[in-house]
Amino acid sequence: MGIIEVKNLTKRFKDHVILDNVNLDVPENKILGIIGINGSGKTTLLKTIIGFYKVNRGDIFYRGKRISKVSRSMKKEIGYTSQDSSFYNKLTVKENMYYFGTLYGLSHKDVKNNTKEILQFVELEEVKNTLAQNLSGGMQRRLDLACSMIHKPRVLILDEPTEDLDPSLRREIVNVIKKINKQGTTVIITSHLLEDVENLCDIIAVLHEHKVMHIGSVEDLRKLYGKQEEIHVEIASANYDRIIQFANLKDYEKEENKLIVYTAEAEKTLHMILHIIENDKERLVYADIRKPSLGEVFKALTKKK
Amino acid sequence: MKKVLAIMGKNFKLLTRSKSSALIIVLGPLLLIMLIGAAFNTANVYGVRIGTYSPSYSALSNSLIDELGKQKFTVQKIESQEACIDGIKRGIIHVCTLFPADLSLKEGGDIVFYVDNSRMNLVYMVLDALNSVIGTKTKEISTQLTKGILDTVEEIDREITDKSSLVNSLATDNEDVNNRINTIIKNMQEIDTEFSVELAGLDTFEEIAGNNDSVNEEVRTAVDKIKKELDEIDLQFKAIISAKEQTLLSANNIKTTLASDFSYINAIDNSIGKISSEIRKVKSTSVGKIVSPLSTKIEPVTSEKTQLNYVFPTLMILIVMFVSMMLASTLEITEKTSRVYLKNFITPTSYLTFLVSNFITNILVVLVQLAVIFGVAFYFFKEHLLATIGSMTLVLVLITTVFILLGMIIGSIFKSEETGAIATISIGFVFLFFSSSILPIETLPNLIRTIASFNPFFMGETLINKILLFQLPLTLFTQTLYILGGYIVGLMITLIIVKRLTKRSF
């Protein structure tokens, strides 16, 4: 039994179904990643879990109890950051921490200690008296995380935490989240930046067309849907019709000037393709065999569906 | 409590750290009250244009026009009555004044004002000023005329007073003559006219003499002569008696005539006295009393000198209403639409805690603004403010609470600042229109007037007006205070219901 269980959850806005009979089990002390294309219902799922949206059908349990019954105690143990930085720009780093600490019902002493500890943890100690609006993008995201952690939550829910960040900042945030998890905090994270999820998450839930299509580790997903390897081929003319016809390719896609072929017999198929290219006297630019990335798995999964 | 203080602290930091918010809180009301003070701190009517037309201006109509000009009105002579009236319609002039041709005191005539009734407040103000100018001139003329009449009356009085001594002298003479007549009558009556000729002795003597030859003829002749003489004397006496009686009769007649004359003289004297007394009464009456025996004088119950003092209570409630409602609704909507809303929501803090904190923040901000306004208003209402500061504070806190709660309800219902602002302004205008600020509430139909009398804006305006201007005690308005208290309770319940209905959580 996970720390949070979502059972047969359906959420509608008027007649528009956002989540349809969703089931999800969040194991304790793990990082759960929820991936899905924009509009797949990731944020709605998180907001429903924290009780911001009412459930139309189904149940959500926290430590085995319905969240409607433990709303207040659950709130004390959950931290949340939304897609946008959610703190007060006109307050300093420390003031933001003190404010949220007080709202979480911490004593002044706990607020003080936790603030010091968490600011050190997220490396914001030196800028604690700086107005939040004057922090850099990465610092602001770290402050957002720090505010969500002021009460040392057991579960940290992060909605697209690496969104709109440059690669170095994304790495920075991913590392912080890993550190948080190592301290025993269960993390639920949504993202459409699959590389981050791949690097970060123990378990991944694929949300597609209002449902959880699959839940498991990255390796599980690869095993399930990544049996086929990928052949990436590029020729000068970028005309792949003859290759597709003579190699009898079934599962492929054209991406810019490149042909990507999904197959279980990568070496044999590549050999055939190279033979056709040679016969046709085409100029080969590039050829490679790869294991599929999470993105590619996700793409394959959603495409297959 | 800790949470309430934390939220309030956050609210104040956000307000004060935003330069524009801080400026609005402190400088906004200061600027507003200074501008209003500069604009309304006068009792004059500036910028009012008066058009005049007369087929033929007389000296009197020209002098009236001059008077209007002296009252800071811009007066313009217009070439025709139609153009004059048309000038009002086109907004060139505010009032058209028609003087009759050759207006004079002898002929008199009606001075007609044409006004634009769609600008009621201006019309009343201008007509009041015009009536005052023309009334003053009319009074001046009447005073001159009356003064002339009084001068004539005084001259008559002087003449009568002079001649009344002659009447007195006549009365004295009459009395003197009367006394003398009385003396004459008395003297006459005292004259003894009793005379009877007793001829018996002579007859005896004659008889003796006749029988006695010795009595010579001479004696007899002498006796006869005596007898004759005596008869003559008797006759004379009779004549005297008759004359005496005649004289007494005449004297009595004269006396009667004198007595009659005396009564006439007295009557004349009385009449003169009465006339003189009446004239004196007229003289003792002032010219002003004769010109305007029933003078109407409107005495304000307060001694305020400028329009600011009268409009201040309305302005203050207006500021309180709009600032409270706008601030409360904006704060609610800003918080609700803020990115931090979700983070606040996820904390184990009741929405009631947020409500209470935001309410206290709002009321403190409005009270800060009121303190700024009071600081400036102290210049105009020094004694009044000091004397009523307690009552004023209580009333303002109640009114502010009503409007803040209303603003919070609006803020809870509407989802964007724009719609919230429109709703706030619309409700504010409804309150404003159904108060005595635009038109007196007494001009509204009965039912609407009754409803409007429960308008919190109207109630607040009335309370502040009576407390600040007349220094009436709060005990006189307990009913109004109870109604405001009822509003507060009702609005609090409504706010909680609205919050629960609009809350998106469990």
Side-chain angles (χ1 to χ4, degrees):
Chain A
M1 187 179 74
I3 190 166
I4 293 173
E5 290 170 273
V6 178
K7 287 188 176 168
N8 307 317
L9 172 69
T10 298
K11 176 67 197 166
R12 283 188 304 268
F13 289 116
K14 293 184 180 169
D15 294 332
H16 188 51
V17 177
I18 307 295
L19 299 170
D20 184 15
N21 203 31
V22 168
N23 287 286
L24 192 67
D25 200 353
V26 183
E28 196 160 4
N29 302 332
K30 300 283 182 188
I31 302 178
L32 168 73
I34 300 170
I35 59 171
I37 56 167
N38 286 337
S40 59
K42 300 185 296 289
T43 302
T44 304
L45 176 59
L46 294 190
K47 286 185 177 178
T48 312
I49 289 173
I50 63 167
F52 190 69
Y53 291 146
K54 284 178 183 170
V55 174
N56 293 112
R57 197 163 60 81
D59 277 313
I60 300 170
F61 296 92
Y62 180 74
R63 293 184 171 277
K65 289 180 181 168
R66 275 197 180 83
I67 59 165
S68 54
K69 300 249 168 70
V70 290
S71 173
R72 197 171 170 79
S73 59
M74 187 189 86
K75 282 180 173 181
K76 284 184 178 175
E77 295 181 5
I78 285 185
Y80 179 89
T81 66
S82 57
Q83 290 177 21
D84 308 302
S85 297
S86 49
F87 47 77
Y88 292 102
N89 281 322
K90 294 281 177 188
L91 298 186
T92 64
V93 169
K94 196 170 130 187
E95 283 167 349
N96 268 300
M97 297 293 281
Y98 272 56
Y99 169 72
F100 286 109
T102 312
L103 290 199
Y104 275 106
L106 303 182
S107 67
H108 182 70
K109 191 181 165 191
D110 284 345
V111 171
K112 199 176 168 186
N113 292 340
N114 289 6
T115 300
K116 194 175 176 188
E117 190 184 321
I118 293 165
L119 289 184
Q120 276 172 353
F121 180 76
V122 296
E123 297 172 17
L124 288 176
E125 178 72 6
E126 286 181 9
V127 290
K128 64 181 180 187
N129 293 319
T130 306
L131 284 181
Q133 66 184 11
N134 296 334
L135 298 176
S136 68
M139 284 176 168
Q140 288 191 346
R141 205 43 74 90
R142 277 185 275 149
L143 171 61
D144 201 6
L145 277 174
C147 289
S148 309
M149 290 161 57
I150 181 71
H151 57 304
K152 297 196 170 169
R154 298 178 76 94
V155 179
L156 187 60
I157 299 174
L158 309 171
D159 191 7
E160 309 265 9
T162 53
E163 176 82 359
D164 300 330
L165 297 181
D166 62 42
S168 69
L169 285 178
R170 276 166 58 189
R171 266 196 306 278
E172 193 180 303
I173 294 301
V174 165
N175 288 336
V176 171
I177 295 169
K178 278 181 178 170
K179 268 166 74 181
I180 293 167
N181 176 247
K182 273 183 188 167
Q183 289 187 333
T185 306
T186 306
V187 178
I188 303 174
I189 181 171
T190 67
S191 182
H192 60 258
L193 299 169
L194 302 176
E195 190 189 331
D196 295 342
V197 178
E198 193 173 357
N199 289 335
L200 198 59
C201 299
D202 302 308
I203 300 161
I204 292 165
V206 180
L207 198 57
H208 187 64
E209 292 180 348
H210 322 299
K211 292 177 189 292
V212 174
M213 277 184 64
H214 180 78
I215 184 163
S217 66
V218 178
E219 279 313 305
D220 287 344
L221 290 175
R222 279 198 181 120
K223 275 180 197 164
L224 256 176
Y225 301 101
K227 284 183 267 180
Q228 301 168 332
E229 289 174 304
E230 290 177 9
I231 301 168
H232 292 239
V233 179
E234 186 177 346
I235 53 174
S237 68
N239 185 351
Y240 299 102
D241 292 346
R242 281 177 57 79
I243 295 173
I244 293 164
Q245 187 187 347
F246 290 110
N248 195 23
L249 301 179
K250 302 285 182 212
D251 196 1
Y252 63 89
E253 68 178 296
K254 290 175 188 172
E255 195 177 86
E256 295 176 354
N257 291 332
K258 201 166 68 174
L259 175 71
I260 304 169
V261 182
Y262 304 96
T263 173
E265 298 170 311
E267 282 186 22
K268 190 181 166 189
T269 309
L270 179 61
H271 184 76
M272 197 184 295
I273 290 169
L274 290 173
H275 185 70
I276 296 165
I277 291 168
E278 196 181 350
N279 277 350
D280 289 351
K281 294 182 179 163
E282 287 280 357
R283 188 166 66 83
L284 180 67
V285 178
Y286 173 84
D288 190 16
I289 296 175
R290 286 187 200 169
K291 273 192 162 184
S293 65
L294 180 61
E296 285 151 352
V297 171
F298 175 73
K299 207 184 279 178
L301 273 172
T302 51
K303 189 178 168 188
K304 190 172 178 179
K305 177 73 183 171
Chain B
M1 190 61 196
K2 237 167 58 177
K3 288 183 180 178
V4 170
L5 289 175
I7 297 167
M8 281 170 57
K10 176 263 298 179
N11 287 341
F12 278 111
K13 279 173 190 161
L14 295 183
L15 281 171
T16 51
R17 284 178 190 173
S18 165
K19 281 175 195 157
S20 52
S21 306
L23 277 177
I24 284 169
I25 291 169
V26 181
L27 289 184
L30 193 69
L31 197 67
L32 195 65
I33 199 76
M34 280 174 76
L35 285 173
I36 289 165
F40 289 92
N41 195 21
T42 170
N44 294 327
V45 184
Y46 296 105
V48 173
R49 296 180 296 274
I50 298 173
T52 66
Y53 170 73
S54 177
S56 166
Y57 287 100
S58 65
L60 180 58
S61 45
N62 278 330
S63 75
L64 284 169
I65 290 168
D66 289 346
E67 275 301 316
L68 291 174
K70 283 178 197 166
Q71 299 292 317
K72 295 195 171 73
F73 292 117
T74 306
V75 187
Q76 189 184 348
K77 285 185 178 174
I78 294 174
E79 65 277 7
S80 72
Q81 181 175 338
E82 291 71 27
C84 193
I85 295 168
D86 195 48
I88 299 177
K89 292 176 187 168
R90 290 193 292 145
I92 299 166
I93 53 172
H94 298 104
V95 179
C96 171
T97 312
L98 299 183
F99 293 102
D102 300 317
L103 178 69
S104 70
L105 292 176
K106 247 184 185 175
E107 299 297 324
D110 293 332
I111 300 169
V112 182
F113 297 113
Y114 283 91
V115 293
D116 174 8
N117 262 28
S118 66
R119 301 187 67 186
M120 292 277 268
N121 44 5
L122 180 70
V123 164
Y124 287 131
M125 195 183 278
V126 172
L127 282 184
D128 185 47
L130 284 176
N131 277 329
S132 158
V133 168
I134 289 173
T136 308
K137 190 72 189 172
T138 309
K139 199 172 172 183
E140 197 182 299
I141 294 163
S142 300
T143 306
Q144 277 176 11
L145 290 172
T146 311
K147 199 169 177 301
I149 294 167
L150 279 183
D151 286 347
T152 309
V153 169
E154 200 174 342
E155 187 60 38
I156 292 166
D157 182 42
R158 206 177 298 123
E159 197 62 31
I160 284 173
T161 310
D162 283 352
K163 298 299 180 265
S164 73
S165 61
L166 293 178
V167 175
N168 287 337
S169 150
L170 268 177
T172 314
D173 289 352
N174 179 290
E175 209 174 332
D176 191 33
V177 171
N178 189 43
N179 289 340
R180 284 183 195 180
I181 290 289
N182 282 339
T183 311
I184 290 167
I185 290 169
K186 194 185 166 197
N187 289 342
M188 287 288 282
Q189 281 170 341
E190 280 173 1
I191 296 170
D192 187 10
T193 51
E194 284 301 317
F195 178 73
S196 83
V197 183
E198 278 295 333
L199 294 175
L202 278 176
D203 285 345
T204 308
F205 179 71
E206 198 174 23
E207 200 180 318
I208 295 165
N211 296 330
N212 191 353
D213 291 334
S214 59
V215 179
N216 65 19
E217 195 61 37
E218 283 178 356
V219 173
R220 278 188 206 106
T221 309
V223 170
D224 286 340
K225 205 174 173 183
I226 289 166
K227 276 176 88 175
K228 268 185 194 170
E229 284 292 327
L230 282 173
D231 284 339
E232 270 177 28
I233 289 168
D234 187 42
L235 280 173
Q236 278 174 352
F237 259 98
K238 279 179 180 155
I240 287 167
I241 288 164
S242 169
K244 181 189 166 187
E245 281 169 357
Q246 280 298 317
T247 305
L248 278 171
L249 188 65
S250 293
N252 280 324
N253 281 343
I254 289 167
K255 198 181 164 187
T256 310
T257 306
L258 280 174
S260 167
D261 284 352
F262 189 70
S263 72
Y264 292 152
I265 289 166
N266 275 340
I268 290 166
D269 191 36
N270 283 341
S271 293
I272 287 173
K274 214 169 179 179
I275 289 166
S276 188
S277 153
E278 290 299 318
I279 285 173
R280 249 170 249 129
K281 272 186 202 166
V282 174
K283 272 167 67 188
S284 70
T285 311
S286 68
V287 177
K289 273 251 166 100
I290 295 168
V291 174
S292 316
L294 292 174
S295 62
T296 52
K297 194 176 177 191
I298 297 169
E299 278 291 343
V301 285
T302 57
S303 55
E304 311 308 336
K305 296 286 186 292
T306 74
Q307 288 160 15
L308 174 67
N309 301 56
Y310 297 114
V311 297
F312 184 76
T314 305
L315 289 172
M316 198 156 60
I317 294 295
L318 201 63
I319 292 167
V320 165
M321 179 177 76
F322 277 113
V323 169
S324 302
M325 282 171 55
M326 289 295 281
L327 183 72
S329 65
T330 308
L331 199 67
E332 281 296 311
I333 295 170
T334 308
E335 196 67 44
K336 199 165 65 175
T337 54
S338 148
R339 291 184 301 189
V340 196
Y341 180 69
L342 205 57
K343 196 162 263 174
N344 280 327
F345 170 84
I346 193 71
T347 64
T349 306
S350 156
Y351 72 96
L352 282 174
T353 309
F354 283 102
L355 273 188
V356 172
S357 312
N358 287 346
F359 172 75
I360 299 173
T361 307
N362 284 321
I363 205 157
L364 287 177
V365 170
V366 178
L367 289 180
V368 165
Q369 294 198 322
L370 280 177
V372 175
I373 292 173
F374 270 129
V376 182
F378 190 73
Y379 172 75
F380 302 104
F381 296 100
K382 200 172 180 181
E383 293 83 14
H384 291 197
L385 267 184
L386 284 177
T388 58
I389 193 81
S391 310
M392 289 279 288
T393 308
L394 177 68
V395 170
L396 284 172
V397 167
L398 284 176
I399 294 290
T400 307
T401 303
V402 169
F403 288 123
I404 285 175
L405 289 172
L406 207 54
M408 288 175 83
I409 291 171
I410 294 168
S412 303
I413 293 170
F414 291 91
K415 288 175 182 168
S416 74
E417 282 188 41
E418 292 81 3
T419 51
I422 291 168
T424 305
I425 291 168
S426 305
I427 291 172
F429 277 135
V430 170
F431 285 146
L432 185 65
F433 287 131
F434 289 94
S435 72
S436 286
S437 305
I438 308 288
L439 279 178
I441 196 172
E442 288 73 16
T443 59
L444 300 174
N446 268 344
L447 177 68
I448 296 173
R449 188 173 63 232
T450 310
I451 296 167
S453 65
F454 290 100
N455 169 1
F457 178 85
F458 173 73
M459 291 164 86
E461 184 190 18
T462 311
L463 279 176
I464 296 293
N465 202 46
K466 289 186 175 165
I467 291 169
L468 190 65
L469 293 182
F470 310 137
Q471 275 111 53
L472 294 179
L474 262 187
T475 47
L476 291 177
F477 310 107
T478 44
Q479 197 189 349
T480 312
L481 295 176
Y482 283 138
I483 294 172
L484 285 175
Y487 278 155
I488 291 170
V489 173
L491 288 169
M492 276 178 175
I493 294 167
T494 311
L495 179 60
I496 290 168
I497 292 170
V498 168
K499 276 279 171 192
R500 288 186 76 88
L501 288 175
T502 53
K503 208 165 66 140
R504 283 175 286 183
S505 63
F506 290 107

